[in-house]
Amino acid sequence: MPQVPADVQVKPGVETDLAALTDLYNHYVRETALTFDTDAFTPEERLPWLRSHPEDGPHRLLVAWEAAGGPDDGTDTGAASRIVGYATSSPFRAKAAYRTSVEVSVYCAPEAVGRGIGTLLYQALFEALADEDVHRAYAGIAQPNEPSVRLHAAFGFRLVGTYAEVGRKFGRFWDVSWYERPLLSRTAPTSSPDPSRTRR
């Protein structure tokens, strides 16, 4: 696991972050198959997504900020700052019984990849989720993506299955592997399930 950068701060995402978050995500839309969105977004189009992740509750948006210029380039880092990544926890499925599961994801600015930003964001996200009634986290990773697989393995995710050729982008089909991690909630009930209620 990369060393976590000490000069980066993580805080909840707010509407003033929207333009930078949209630019960051659009890089992955245009240049990669890591997301299956195929058309770039405007900030206005991404606003409902941002508003669906409040500052509390199980569905979070956490943003990593770094002083402009970065930690090692010798420039003045005391003025502006920039977004270098974000992580989210979102509803896994719409039906009510799925409400104790979340789907998580993390995106880093291209110049910040490999610096431990994803590690820092996931540490903060899973710490925040420990105060929520959530039981499982899931992550879908378009393949191949070995860095993301390593990051999720470092946080205890295990492979549960792969959808073969489930999406088409850039003129070819892509697999998506799904990973699962138990969440240790500090607030969830601990009673055993009723064995008579096992039907889905």
Side-chain angles (χ1 to χ4, degrees), residues 63-107:
V63 176
W65 282 88
E66 178 181 68
D72 299 315
D73 68 355
T75 61
D76 178 11
T77 60
S81 56
R82 62 180 178 178
I83 289 176
V84 291
Y86 70 89
T88 58
S89 59
S90 304
F92 178 65
R93 294 282 179 88
K95 293 181 180 179
Y98 286 115
R99 67 182 176 269
T100 56
S101 296
V102 292
E103 183 177 346
V104 298
S105 63
V106 62
Y107 288 91

Side-chain angles (χ1 to χ4, degrees), residues 162-184:
T162 298
Y163 294 161
E165 298 187 351
V166 68
R168 185 169 65 186
K169 189 173 182 180
F170 303 141
R172 59 161 285 188
F173 290 98
W174 302 87
D175 298 348
V176 174
S177 295
W178 283 90
Y179 292 78
E180 175 189 68
R181 171 195 157 142
L183 295 176
L184 301 177

Side-chain angles (χ1 to χ4, degrees), residues 105-181:
S105 63
V106 62
Y107 288 91
C108 294
E111 68 276 9
V113 171
R115 291 185 44 219
I117 305 296
T119 297
L120 182 66
L121 283 162
Y122 263 180
Q123 285 177 345
L125 180 64
F126 293 128
E127 176 63 23
L129 292 179
D131 290 324
E132 304 297 336
D133 181 15
V134 286
H135 186 59
R136 285 288 188 274
Y138 294 90
I141 304 175
Q143 300 294 335
N145 189 348
E146 188 58 34
S148 185
V149 171
R150 288 197 304 268
L151 173 66
H152 287 83
F155 278 92
F157 282 81
R158 67 177 187 90
L159 177 67
V160 292
T162 298
Y163 294 161
E165 298 187 351
V166 68
R168 185 169 65 186
K169 189 173 182 180
F170 303 141
R172 59 161 285 188
F173 290 98
W174 302 87
D175 298 348
V176 174
S177 295
W178 283 90
Y179 292 78
E180 175 189 68
R181 171 195 157 142

